[in-house]
Amino acid sequence: QTNPVQLKDEGNKHFQAGEIDQAIECYTKAIKACKDKKAQAVIYRNRSACFLKKENYSGAASDASRAIDVDASDIKALYRRCQALEKLGKLDMAFKDVQRCATLEPKNKTFLETLRRLGAEIQQKLKTTFSTDSRVQNMFDILLSEEEDKEKKEKAANNLIVLAREDAGSERIFQNNGIALLMQLIETGKVEMILAAIRTLSGMCTGHRARVSDGGRLCSIMGMDNEEIALATCNLFQCVYESLSGADSRIYGKEEALVLDSSKDLKTILLALLEMIGSKNVSGYGRDQALNLLTKNVPRKNKKDSDHSKSLFTIDNGLRKILKVCGQVPDLPDQLAMTDNTQLIASVLLNKLYDDLRCDPERDNYRDICDEYIKSKFDPNDMDRNIHAINALSGLLQGPFDVGNILVGRQGVMEMMVALCASEREVDQLVAIEAIIHGSTKMSRASFIISNGVSLLKDIYKKTKNEKIKIRALVGLCKLGSAGGDDYSMRQFAEGSTEKLAKQCRKWLCNPSLDVRTRKWAIEGLAYLTSDADVKDDFVEDEPAMRAMFELAKSRDKTILYAVACTLVNCTNSYDKKEIIPEMVQLAKFSKQHVPEQHPKDKKDFIQRRVKRLLKAGVISALAVMVKADSSILTDQTKEMLARVFLALAEDPVDRGTIVAQGGGKALIPLAIEGTDLGKIKASHALAKIAAISKPEIAFPGERVYEVIRPLVSLLNTERDGLQNFEALRGLTNLAAMNEKLRVKILKEKALPEIENYMFEEHDQIRQAATECMCNLVCSKEVQDRYLEDGNDKLKLLVLLCSEDDEDLQIAAAGALAMLTAAQKKLSVKMTKWLEILQRLCLHDNPQVQHRGLVMVFNMLDADEELAKKLIESELLEILTYVAKKEDNPKIQAGIDAARACLSKAMDLGLIKPFKQ
């Protein structure tokens, strides 16, 4: 059919009937078929009305415009266009259209009302834009004035930061010469002003490529000697970097087009950061943040991504600068400013860069640059340059160990260390001993150092009067001596000498007159010595020593985390243990092989005693602080160790209350979300133990509780062991009882199929835990829908679980059925297939099971009259009467009341008559 008039009429009919889609179809065909301009204009106008109904406002406006093009005084089209434009936010254009309408029909009330309303809205909008502009001006005036008081300034600064975080607000700051004014604030040199400016810039630069200002200026700010400023600038850099690299890919209209070549800007930023690392004018805090930014942004996040050009660029342009940081010796004059953490962060960066390389030639090049750098510093006439070289080597040994290990073996290096050890200067000895310690790891790799180092260190230990040197020599000996791990029969030192060394370490640890770096080495020593069970036991008996270690773990110096974590893993025996198989032991003895032996103090009751002592000394509060450390220092390896410790501490349900009270629940969440796979599993398991038996709102306050669900669900798979499955299910049961939002989150994490699988589990306790969890989840509409789907046996499974022997399981399954039948009448009707089982439930000895059975009967009577009739005709009537006539008894009252409610329901339906006396 191609007759435009007929098509238009058909469209009108559809429109009147409210069938908008069909109307649009007819009008569209009519427009194509119609040749007459005026007739076409009318159809456009009609289609515009359809688009308004469908909320397609741009379509409505363009159709109305076409009608107006033909007839400028088409009042209907004008008004439709006005409505559409208002919805599109183009108030001034809408106002012009309705003004035209009111001129054509001055008495039309609708037009006059719209005119008045739009007029007022436009005024309001101008006012807010104007007032935001004047507010921005006003804030800058307050901040830049000399007179205003401190409180007023703080308020203005906070307002600016908040404004910058919203798109509209940051646009106003930008349009009002904001960037220049913010730079003026920075020029004042006052800490509060600088912080306000930096934080405002962070808000404005997020996602806006066009607004990113120059990196060089930022570097000089980040280099100021103020930790807060360094951190704020680091965040600003991160925003700028993500905006440029496209990591923050929100949609921001036209401004995108202004900045095309962002890779050039990214390189400029990398070069600026590398420049900072080696610069004398940068504070320790600034250096740390520059290294952190490189660690975070240069290496690939995902090894599958083939582009590692940023790492190659950084190695070519900055590897020497990072080595320079590692080589600094704080005790010498004229060194770069550093914090306690700087050199470790630099080592971590060295390691990440080396890990990011993809082939041998790249690794060779990396090694050659390092080799070249260290050789260039050796100078027979200048001791300071030599110790710089050896210290840089220490940095490599703490980072990419293989590179460092090869360089230690190079000609002249070991001789240099021996020479430094024999030097008169304390600083020379310190640097050399630290390098020997870092170089001596597990036996096979450290053979070079072992053959040369032990006698050297023993010599120094005996001769020196200097405590600082003595302690470091001792740690070296501990480290070389602990290479046998926790194997009782492989002790490197004479019987008892390990305890003596450990006692000395504890004494140093508790000595406040020693400097922190030296006391830190005492913990390093304990980290090795505590692989011996006698040492562990002595350590946990020494409460001042434990408390001293926890205080250091909470201090600003985070380089100590790894050693504290090692010590705690050793004391709680939470490392992986090799299984000792008796037959293999016999075989080994027979063939004169070495047999690992377990120390009597590594048995279970000793471990439990140690855990209690650690908890009493406040280990949880120390762990809670350690978990918050910066990611470049808190490596995944350390996180895994902390997770192991938490799991060991949460073993006994009695202690879980203490863990929660001291903030352990919150501290576990980040460990369960990122880290090594094993670390995440251990942390998730510890979370499950806590969630299973504590009140979730206390253990995980506020929004935190939502973050617990994913780790728990991750334990519901077949690769995890039964205990993990069981405790995760118990934890989820507890969470599912809290509120609907949590139940929805559990379903979102795809836990439902897993929970259903565990309801088939052979293991009784797991099956019960899964059924209890399901019982709490069926409150959720989404779960009920799954039970309503055609052709599923989910309901049948619950019914079958009701006839198992285990009463707790019956209570959970019957509870789930009672909830389902109450919520969904269809499911009540389905239940008629299993009347026998239902009757058994109503006569059950356990009052809880019986009560649930009777509630199901009530739900079924309530659901459907036919069904009610069928029930009353069966033996159920007898059962109901029997239960209802029982004497009141608080133990079984719930069941009696339910039976009575069933009978009165049956009377209401007229199925039974009251018994007349």
Side-chain angles (χ1 to χ4, degrees):
Q1 172 191 357
T2 52
N3 183 341
V5 181
Q6 274 176 320
L7 280 166
K8 185 184 94 175
D9 293 345
E10 207 175 306
N12 293 351
K13 274 182 204 152
H14 283 307
F15 185 76
Q16 252 103 41
E19 298 158 355
I20 306 299
D21 288 329
Q22 288 94 317
I24 291 178
E25 210 175 306
C26 293
Y27 290 145
T28 308
K29 285 181 186 165
I31 289 170
K32 282 185 185 151
C34 183
K35 299 285 175 272
D36 176 31
K37 277 274 188 286
K38 276 192 177 163
Q40 209 178 22
V42 175
I43 308 171
Y44 271 125
R45 186 179 72 196
N46 291 1
R47 192 173 70 171
S48 156
C50 296
F51 282 146
L52 276 176
K53 281 253 193 294
K54 294 293 284 181
E55 298 182 10
N56 170 0
Y57 300 119
S58 49
S62 88
D63 271 7
S65 298
R66 290 194 159 159
I68 296 165
D69 289 344
V70 176
D71 174 7
S73 56
D74 183 337
I75 204 158
K76 279 187 186 168
L78 279 165
Y79 192 61
R80 274 173 204 157
R81 187 167 72 176
C82 156
Q83 287 170 296
L85 288 168
E86 183 189 348
K87 289 288 188 197
L88 290 168
K90 300 180 174 170
L91 299 185
D92 36 356
M93 290 160 77
F95 183 77
K96 281 186 189 146
D97 280 345
V98 75
Q99 223 173 0
R100 184 106 177 78
C101 293
T103 323
L104 292 167
E105 282 187 30
K107 290 188 177 154
N108 185 322
K109 282 195 180 143
T110 316
F111 295 160
L112 294 173
E113 171 52 32
T114 311
L115 194 64
R116 190 196 57 70
R117 186 170 52 81
L118 284 176
E121 274 178 33
I122 287 170
Q123 284 305 308
Q124 187 52 44
K125 193 172 169 186
L126 282 170
K127 211 155 117 194
T128 22
T129 312
F130 184 69
S131 75
T132 310
D133 283 357
S134 59
R135 261 172 52 218
V136 170
Q137 278 313 131
N138 189 14
M139 286 177 217
F140 278 119
D141 290 345
I142 294 174
L143 290 172
L144 290 167
S145 90
E146 297 291 316
E147 285 80 53
E148 294 291 357
D149 65 351
K150 198 171 168 213
E151 236 174 59
K152 238 184 171 174
K153 285 195 167 180
E154 271 175 22
K155 204 171 169 192
N158 285 334
N159 288 345
L160 251 190
I161 297 167
V162 171
L163 200 63
R165 287 186 187 142
E166 306 156 10
D167 273 352
S170 71
E171 185 55 33
R172 295 322 321 146
I173 299 176
F174 196 64
Q175 297 298 348
N176 281 291
N177 191 22
I179 302 268
L181 290 167
L182 287 168
M183 286 300 167
Q184 264 181 329
L185 279 183
I186 291 171
E187 300 300 332
T188 62
K190 293 183 188 138
V191 174
E192 297 80 46
M193 296 301 109
I194 296 174
L195 277 173
I198 295 291
R199 287 174 180 155
T200 305
L201 282 167
S202 290
M204 291 171 63
C205 286
T206 303
H208 269 281
R209 296 187 175 188
R211 292 196 186 145
V212 173
S213 45
D214 72 298
R217 189 77 201 80
L218 290 181
C219 290
S220 59
I221 305 164
M222 190 153 96
M224 289 175 63
D225 194 11
N226 177 301
E227 190 175 5
E228 268 194 286
I229 291 180
L231 196 63
T233 321
C234 173
N235 286 335
L236 171 55
F237 253 121
Q238 193 58 39
C239 292
V240 169
Y241 196 89
E242 282 172 7
S243 301
L244 286 173
S245 64
D248 175 10
S249 54
R250 284 175 270 175
I251 310 295
Y252 291 102
K254 291 180 186 158
E255 299 191 11
E256 286 287 309
L258 301 177
V259 183
L260 286 174
D261 181 21
S262 56
S263 65
K264 201 171 101 213
D265 290 335
L266 287 177
K267 282 197 171 141
T268 315
I269 291 182
L270 287 180
L271 285 171
L273 291 173
L274 290 169
E275 197 49 50
M276 274 185 82
I277 289 174
S279 157
K280 281 254 162 91
N281 312 331
V282 172
S283 70
Y285 302 121
R287 209 174 314 281
D288 284 3
Q289 296 305 348
L291 288 161
N292 277 336
L293 280 165
L294 290 165
T295 307
K296 197 167 165 188
N297 296 304
V298 172
R300 293 168 290 173
K301 299 267 186 297
N302 180 353
K303 289 279 187 277
K304 287 181 186 150
D305 176 11
S306 61
D307 175 26
H308 65 318
S309 56
K310 285 187 290 195
S311 286
L312 297 178
F313 181 80
T314 306
I315 289 168
D316 288 342
N317 293 285
L319 186 52
R320 291 176 189 80
K321 294 184 170 121
I322 306 170
L323 289 169
K324 177 178 172 184
V325 173
C326 290
Q328 299 298 307
V329 181
D331 306 336
L332 293 182
D334 207 25
Q335 302 287 299
L336 297 177
M338 296 190 301
T339 69
D340 294 332
N341 304 325
T342 310
Q343 287 177 302
L344 186 66
I345 299 175
S347 283
V348 170
L349 175 56
L350 285 173
N351 196 28
K352 290 224 163 147
L353 290 171
Y354 187 69
D355 267 355
D356 203 38
L357 299 177
R358 293 179 52 197
C359 58
D360 287 345
E362 290 174 359
R363 290 183 197 100
D364 294 342
N365 171 49
Y366 183 104
R367 212 171 36 237
D368 293 344
I369 296 176
C370 297
D371 197 8
E372 193 47 49
Y373 181 83
I374 287 169
K375 269 199 201 129
S376 70
K377 296 287 177 201
F378 279 153
D379 180 346
N381 305 321
D382 184 346
M383 259 335 197
D384 287 0
R385 284 177 65 96
N386 291 332
I387 56 177
H388 179 94
I390 296 295
N391 222 17
L393 190 55
S394 275
L396 282 167
L397 287 165
Q398 291 174 79
F401 183 85
D402 294 335
V403 177
N405 203 17
I406 289 172
L407 299 183
V408 169
R410 291 280 155 90
Q411 202 198 341
V413 176
M414 200 64 208
E415 289 82 342
M416 177 59 73
M417 289 192 193
V418 176
L420 287 170
C421 283
S423 155
E424 296 296 303
R425 280 201 312 182
E426 173 190 286
V427 63
D428 296 343
Q429 293 179 330
L430 287 179
V431 168
I433 292 178
E434 287 186 16
I436 290 176
I437 296 173
H438 293 310
S440 44
T441 28
K442 287 278 176 277
M443 302 189 252
S444 56
R445 286 158 89 182
S447 54
F448 186 80
I449 297 252
I450 288 182
S451 51
N452 299 279
V454 175
S455 49
L456 196 65
L457 290 170
K458 278 187 177 164
D459 212 32
I460 293 175
Y461 185 65
K462 283 182 192 141
K463 286 182 186 163
T464 181
K465 296 281 178 286
N466 184 328
E467 294 273 315
K468 286 182 179 178
I469 290 173
K470 212 176 181 69
I471 191 167
R472 286 166 173 77
L474 177 129
V475 173
L477 288 170
C478 295
K479 193 169 176 182
L480 294 170
S482 73
D486 68 346
D487 180 354
Y488 185 41
S489 54
M490 281 267 298
R491 304 174 98 174
Q492 241 88 346
F493 295 130
E495 194 64 52
S497 68
T498 324
E499 281 101 301
K500 270 191 210 140
L501 291 175
K503 192 172 172 192
Q504 183 60 55
C505 281
R506 297 205 310 273
K507 218 164 90 188
W508 278 323
L509 179 58
C510 296
N511 179 353
S513 65
L514 284 174
D515 63 309
V516 173
R517 273 172 66 193
T518 304
R519 289 168 64 202
K520 207 172 80 188
W521 280 103
I523 298 183
E524 294 274 349
L526 286 167
Y528 297 110
L529 292 169
T530 45
S531 58
D532 179 302
D534 290 312
V535 173
K536 301 178 200 187
D537 246 46
D538 294 345
F539 179 61
V540 296
E541 294 301 316
D542 183 347
E543 193 157 313
M546 284 195 289
R547 288 188 182 279
M549 178 169 91
F550 297 153
E551 281 317 302
L552 281 172
K554 294 179 191 172
S555 70
R556 314 273 311 243
D557 181 351
K558 297 299 179 200
T559 51
I560 197 172
L561 293 184
Y562 186 72
V564 174
C566 283
T567 309
L568 291 173
V569 165
N570 285 336
C571 289
T572 54
N573 284 44
S574 49
Y575 40 77
D576 288 328
K577 299 167 201 55
K578 284 206 179 77
E579 256 185 87
I580 299 178
I581 305 162
E583 293 81 7
M584 293 303 287
V585 173
Q586 291 302 317
L587 201 71
K589 280 183 180 161
F590 180 69
S591 59
K592 300 204 167 45
Q593 290 289 329
H594 165 70
V595 184
E597 294 171 38
Q598 190 190 27
H599 192 293
K601 288 189 177 171
D602 275 332
K603 298 212 161 46
K604 199 157 182 193
D605 43 341
F606 278 98
I607 299 173
Q608 285 169 337
R609 263 221 336 261
R610 290 201 286 268
V611 164
K612 305 277 181 213
R613 303 288 310 227
L614 284 166
L615 283 165
K616 187 170 162 251
V619 64
I620 295 292
S621 60
L623 287 169
V625 175
M626 289 163 75
V627 168
K628 293 191 184 119
D630 202 316
S631 62
S632 55
I633 285 188
L634 185 65
T635 56
D636 286 352
Q637 219 43 54
T638 313
K639 278 190 196 158
E640 180 186 311
M641 292 162 83
L642 296 179
R644 286 169 182 273
V645 173
F646 263 120
L647 185 55
L649 296 171
E651 194 52 50
D652 183 351
V654 181
D655 298 327
R656 293 178 203 165
T658 317
I659 294 176
V660 166
Q662 296 178 1
K666 295 198 291 273
L668 265 166
I669 296 173
L671 295 178
I673 290 172
E674 49 187 80
T676 62
D677 289 343
L678 193 60
K680 290 194 286 198
I681 292 166
K682 302 258 179 206
S684 300
H685 192 183
L687 273 176
K689 284 181 182 293
I690 289 172
I693 63 164
S694 44
K695 282 194 168 161
E697 59 273 27
I698 295 172
F700 316 109
E703 293 294 304
R704 291 259 167 65
V705 68
Y706 295 99
E707 296 172 39
V708 178
I709 289 169
R710 181 170 295 169
L712 294 192
V713 175
S714 73
L715 297 176
L716 295 184
N717 71 40
T718 40
E719 287 172 17
R720 306 281 83 82
D721 63 44
L723 185 62
Q724 291 171 335
N725 301 157
F726 173 68
E727 292 186 306
L729 286 164
R730 299 249 331 255
L732 288 168
T733 304
N734 227 341
L735 292 168
M738 262 182 79
N739 60 38
E740 180 62 17
K741 205 168 155 193
L742 275 168
R743 289 191 283 274
V744 169
K745 177 90 172 113
I746 293 175
L747 298 173
K748 249 207 189 117
E749 293 293 343
K750 305 199 173 41
L752 202 57
E754 301 292 348
I755 295 168
E756 283 169 349
N757 289 342
Y758 287 113
M759 288 166 70
F760 288 103
E761 176 70 42
E762 264 144 47
H763 193 290
D764 291 344
Q765 285 173 294
I766 292 183
R767 188 170 51 181
Q768 179 197 325
T771 312
E772 284 173 355
C773 188
M774 184 57 79
C775 179
N776 285 343
L777 285 171
V778 293
C779 307
S780 192
K781 176 86 173 65
E782 197 178 319
V783 180
Q784 294 165 15
D785 291 343
R786 299 228 6 198
Y787 276 87
L788 285 168
E789 285 166 7
D790 286 340
N792 75 58
D793 290 336
K794 295 188 198 313
L795 204 64
K796 184 176 175 181
L797 171 64
L798 282 174
V799 175
L800 292 176
L801 291 174
C802 285
S803 40
E804 289 281 331
D805 301 334
D806 179 0
E807 287 193 356
D808 288 329
L809 180 60
Q810 289 179 318
I811 292 172
L817 284 169
M819 310 256 271
L820 283 166
T821 48
Q824 299 289 346
K825 297 199 165 162
K826 268 192 187 167
L827 294 176
S828 290
V829 178
K830 259 191 179 178
M831 283 295 296
T832 39
K833 299 182 203 165
W834 302 290
L835 286 185
E836 252 176 73
I837 293 178
L838 190 59
Q839 288 167 7
R840 280 213 296 275
L841 290 178
C842 294
L843 287 168
H844 204 286
D845 300 336
N846 182 320
Q848 286 184 283
V849 179
Q850 182 185 35
H851 171 224
R852 286 163 172 73
L854 291 161
V855 170
M856 278 183 249
V857 175
F858 179 81
N859 293 338
M860 291 162 76
L861 291 170
D862 194 32
D864 178 272
E865 284 199 33
E866 282 298 306
L867 173 55
K869 203 166 154 196
K870 191 170 169 186
L871 290 183
I872 293 299
E873 285 164 5
S874 72
E875 286 143 41
L876 268 168
L877 180 57
E878 224 174 301
I879 297 170
L880 291 171
T881 318
Y882 161 73
V883 180
K885 281 185 177 167
K886 283 190 181 178
E887 298 229 335
D888 283 1
N889 171 354
K891 282 186 185 157
I892 55 170
Q893 197 56 45
I896 297 175
D897 291 346
R900 290 174 185 169
C902 287
L903 290 175
S904 61
K905 181 77 199 166
M907 275 190 247
D908 295 346
L909 292 167
L911 297 172
I912 51 176
K913 292 197 168 53
F915 187 66
K916 289 201 174 61
Q917 291 292 337

